[in-house]
Amino acid sequence: MQSTAFLNELRPCGDWRGAVSDYQVEIRDTAERYPCGGEHSLLKAMAALGRKGIPSGCHGGGCGVCKVRITEGEVSTLVMSCTHVTEEEKAQGYVLACRAFPRSDIALEVVGGMRKCITRRRYGFV
């Protein structure tokens, strides 16, 4: 019973950000970090916070635009198309961010076709 009260103190009702079950996700390409609860995909949590570190397309696993490589941590995944992530790639840590759910703190690299859009240096006035 005490543990439930402790959780309620740390997590305000209706606010999943900052919850005890949140894990930290680091996008190595941009050094950006954001919280992601285990019930949200890596892509959905990022989009909900208005961040843009992982390219996105269909949000359902059909396009492969959100392909990333997990460099640290563990995720569970929903079914992913072999067209976008082969069995060999899965074994090397490649996943679709829209189909991956954190099970620990995560570090990832963007590897899909849109990687250049994320890692490109921006010039001009700030």
Side-chain angles (χ1 to χ4, degrees), residues 7-20:
L7 289 174
N8 288 335
E9 287 176 13
L10 294 177
R11 181 175 50 188
C13 292
D15 185 8
W16 62 271
R17 292 170 290 171
V20 173

Side-chain angles (χ1 to χ4, degrees), residues 22-64:
D22 280 357
Y23 301 109
Q24 287 297 308
V25 178
E26 177 186 2
I27 303 171
R28 292 257 164 103
D29 307 274
T30 61
E32 187 170 13
R33 296 176 68 88
Y34 64 93
C36 182
E39 70 278 6
H40 298 284
S41 73
L42 299 174
L43 187 61
K44 183 175 183 176
M46 184 201 67
L49 293 171
R51 308 279 176 84
K52 297 182 180 181
I54 301 172
S56 66
C58 71
H59 291 250
C63 69

Side-chain angles (χ1 to χ4, degrees), residues 29 55 64-69 89 94-95 109-115:
D29 307 274
V65 170
C66 64
K67 188 173 183 178
V68 298
R69 186 172 72 87
E89 287 176 322
Y94 291 89
V95 298
E109 296 173 340
V110 176
V111 297
M114 299 294 288
R115 183 176 190 278

Side-chain angles (χ1 to χ4, degrees), residues 29-30 52-53 55 110 113-124:
D29 307 274
T30 61
K52 297 182 180 181
V110 176
M114 299 294 288
R115 183 176 190 278
K116 286 183 182 179
C117 296
I118 302 302
T119 59
R120 175 179 32 206
R121 290 184 182 242
R122 304 201 189 269
Y123 297 97

